[in-house]
Amino acid sequence: MSDANEHLEKLMQELRRGTITIAVLSQLSEPQYGYSLVTLLSEKGVQVEPGTLYPLLRRLEKQGILDSKWDTNEARPRKYYLLSETGKEVFDLLVIEWKSIVKSLNGVIEAKGDDSNGTD
Amino acid sequence: MELINRYIYAVTQKLPQAQRKDIEEELRGLIEDMLDERVGDTGITVQDIEAVLLELGSPRKLADQYRGTKRYLIGPEIFDSYILVLKIVMIITASVIGINFVIQVILNPVEILDHFIDLIIGLVTGLPTAFGWTTFGFAIPEMAGAYNFKELSLESEWRPSDLPPVPDEKRQIKRGEALFGIIFYSIFIVIFAFSSEYFGVWRFTDEFTGVVPFLNEQTYGTYLLFIILIFGFGVIKECLKLVFGKWTYKLAAYTLIVNLISMAGVLLMISGPEFWNPNFVMELVDAGILTTGSEAFDIVSKIWEQSTFWIFILLIIGLIWDAVDGFIRARKK
């Protein structure tokens, strides 16, 4: 059983890598700083490690999907991220793709039992 | 707090200068947020800091994630070419050193121990030097980001029609053949560079007593550069064959060009009156190998006079055939 868990862990890591980006983008129509995103997402059941999230945010910013702004008014300076115009478009398209993946994968997973009946 | 500084330093020093400050501030904010979350406003202990840093993971892993790309001295895009060139360079270096040893031992077997020590020193210093310079040559453009990754990238777009055809048996260039060529040319470079005075007719009376040289020793220094260049071109030609792996028009054209340059070089060199030893025949007589007036003397004189011409003819035939052969093989589908 531990063997299966080990495999599962590796596969989940790969699976999460892409979905985290969608989750992050979904929360950034309002400006957020890194750690507030971690808490926000974890409240909604999406676990993201800060060590993964922070570099991801910077990468997305570099690609032009996110805009960023330092807020130095508070006691602790924080870098806020927000979807750019391109980012909004990308996110909308990404959601459509995601839904279609979910749909087809559901189809595949649920059709699994029919395999023995042959193909048609 | 000192631990936090050390952690942040460990991460940012692995990152490009331009990003350091920004990432440093962001990371510091993050760690403080995480600490707040963990202990609230009560006193922060070292254990808390350690726990937070452990949660963030090792600095190296974090820096890798910030960087996005892995760092390479020689990236995977050019690794294959690098290994190929490295192999060629190592083989050339090792054969030059090895051949030099063999020649020295033949010429002066008494001092074999000294030659052997030279061989070891040559290998120990020469091979790492060759390795170092090759790696250096590849690594500098890599660091400067000069390689065109769009073209080289492993994921770049390709069309099935771009696939090279499986080469015909006859178009394929055997690696051994090219390597043999490289070693062959290297042998000549070594012979000419280090032991030209032994290039001639060897005299033996019981044991080796001297050489009647083919070449004019007075002018030899000037010609040496030519000779090394010509054989160097030969090495380049064989390297090209090794890189291409099969005959193509391009390779055949390169071969032709290299051969033409070699031919021009040889022509310039041996047609000059000062290349060959002008007293060759007389020295043979002096050495007691020939006697004037004998039939052998006439034959040797005649051969010696005409040798330039015939060597050149043979060379031209050889080099032209080499290039023509390339074109013929390249045509084969």
Side-chain angles (χ1 to χ4, degrees):
Chain A
M1 198 55 212
S2 72
D3 213 27
N5 278 336
E6 220 171 89
H7 287 303
L8 181 69
E9 206 167 294
K10 269 186 200 153
L11 290 171
M12 278 309 290
Q13 230 175 10
E14 283 174 32
L15 193 54
R16 265 196 218 109
R17 204 169 290 156
T19 58
I20 284 175
T21 312
I22 305 178
V24 167
L25 295 181
S26 74
Q27 304 302 307
L28 287 178
S29 33
E30 300 291 318
Q32 299 283 350
Y33 63 94
Y35 199 65
S36 70
L37 256 181
V38 175
T39 17
L40 200 61
L41 286 172
S42 97
E43 275 166 20
K44 300 184 190 226
V46 182
Q47 297 299 332
V48 193
E49 284 171 23
T52 312
L53 179 69
Y54 275 61
L56 175 66
L57 286 171
R58 290 188 72 89
R59 251 196 319 279
L60 293 171
E61 183 199 358
K62 204 175 158 197
Q63 289 166 3
I65 293 171
L66 299 181
D67 288 332
S68 76
K69 213 179 97 198
W70 276 98
D71 181 359
T72 45
N73 294 333
E74 286 172 61
R76 193 170 290 160
R78 277 170 176 149
K79 196 176 183 183
Y80 281 81
Y81 294 91
L82 178 69
L83 278 180
S84 69
E85 283 308 310
T86 329
K88 281 178 197 157
E89 272 178 60
V90 171
F91 176 65
D92 289 343
L93 293 171
L94 209 52
V95 168
I96 295 170
E97 291 295 328
W98 171 254
K99 282 183 178 157
S100 109
I101 288 177
V102 170
K103 199 172 153 228
S104 25
L105 267 181
N106 275 341
V108 174
I109 295 167
E110 271 145 33
K112 204 174 121 193
D114 302 340
D115 271 2
S116 51
N117 301 339
T119 51
D120 54 16
Chain B
M1 283 303 140
E2 197 232 344
L3 253 186
I4 298 176
N5 288 338
R6 275 159 60 192
Y7 183 85
I8 290 174
Y9 176 74
V11 175
T12 52
Q13 60 142 350
K14 295 187 178 68
L15 296 171
Q17 192 79 45
Q19 298 174 16
R20 280 185 198 170
K21 190 144 177 26
D22 209 48
I23 289 176
E24 182 186 330
E25 281 183 45
E26 209 181 2
L27 259 186
R28 194 177 299 279
L30 167 65
I31 293 169
E32 283 166 10
D33 280 336
M34 287 170 82
L35 280 171
D36 283 354
E37 165 94 15
R38 202 179 158 80
V39 292
D41 281 337
T42 56
I44 295 165
T45 63
V46 176
Q47 281 76 23
D48 293 324
I49 295 176
E50 278 187 358
V52 165
L53 296 185
L54 277 173
E55 197 185 328
L56 274 177
S58 88
R60 202 178 60 192
K61 207 176 128 210
L62 188 56
D64 272 346
Q65 284 193 300
Y66 266 116
R67 221 184 289 110
T69 52
K70 290 228 161 43
R71 290 203 301 175
Y72 298 103
L73 188 61
I74 310 282
E77 288 89 353
I78 54 157
F79 192 71
D80 287 342
S81 324
Y82 166 69
I83 287 295
L84 180 61
V85 173
L86 188 64
K87 270 187 202 161
I88 295 172
V89 170
M90 295 304 256
I91 288 169
I92 292 176
T93 312
S95 45
V96 164
I97 295 169
I99 292 158
N100 192 33
F101 169 70
V102 172
I103 291 174
Q104 299 291 348
V105 168
I106 293 173
L107 296 178
N108 195 349
V110 183
E111 288 171 26
I112 184 163
L113 193 65
D114 286 345
H115 300 321
F116 186 71
I117 291 169
D118 283 346
L119 171 74
I120 299 298
I121 292 173
L123 288 176
V124 168
T125 57
L127 288 180
T129 307
F131 182 87
W133 279 107
T134 310
T135 309
F136 187 70
F138 271 84
I140 290 299
E142 172 83 54
M143 276 186 216
Y147 295 118
N148 185 349
F149 287 120
K150 277 236 169 70
E151 217 171 85
L152 288 168
S153 169
L154 303 173
E155 285 122 40
S156 69
E157 233 181 282
W158 66 282
R159 288 181 300 267
S161 56
D162 290 342
L163 285 173
V166 177
D168 185 86
E169 275 283 297
K170 292 194 168 144
R171 284 182 71 186
Q172 253 166 348
I173 296 169
K174 294 202 178 63
R175 286 196 156 204
E177 222 173 89
L179 289 179
F180 177 79
I182 290 174
I183 293 170
F184 179 79
Y185 286 119
S186 310
I187 291 177
F188 274 93
I189 291 180
V190 175
I191 290 178
F192 278 106
F194 300 114
S195 18
S196 66
E197 65 268 30
Y198 296 102
F199 184 55
V201 175
W202 291 25
R203 275 184 321 196
F204 289 94
T205 43
D206 289 340
E207 60 179 35
F208 179 70
T209 52
V211 177
V212 178
F214 287 138
L215 304 178
N216 184 345
E217 273 164 22
Q218 256 94 53
T219 59
Y220 183 69
T222 337
Y223 286 117
L224 180 61
L225 189 69
F226 259 107
I227 294 174
I228 291 181
L229 274 180
I230 287 167
F231 285 114
F233 271 113
V235 173
I236 291 173
K237 192 172 74 185
E238 298 302 324
C239 290
L240 282 175
K241 285 188 193 170
L242 209 53
V243 171
F244 275 78
K246 65 170 196 293
W247 281 104
T248 64
Y249 285 120
K250 215 173 175 184
L251 177 60
Y254 283 144
T255 309
L256 182 66
I257 293 169
V258 169
N259 284 353
L260 284 178
I261 295 173
S262 305
M263 265 193 287
V266 173
L267 181 63
L268 264 173
M269 208 167 62
I270 67 175
S271 63
E274 272 132 26
F275 181 67
W276 300 109
N277 180 2
N279 307 317
F280 179 69
V281 179
M282 286 323 291
E283 280 178 29
L284 279 184
V285 174
D286 287 347
I289 297 170
L290 279 180
T291 40
T292 39
S294 70
E295 202 181 331
F297 179 85
D298 291 341
I299 294 171
V300 170
S301 306
K302 201 163 272 174
I303 291 174
W304 180 246
E305 277 157 28
Q306 296 193 346
S307 61
T308 303
F309 178 71
W310 286 111
I311 287 176
F312 192 62
I313 294 292
L314 282 177
L315 192 79
I316 286 184
I317 292 174
L319 290 180
I320 288 183
W321 173 246
D322 188 41
V324 168
D325 183 46
F327 277 106
I328 292 174
R329 293 214 216 178
R331 265 189 62 194
K332 290 211 169 93
K333 279 278 138 59

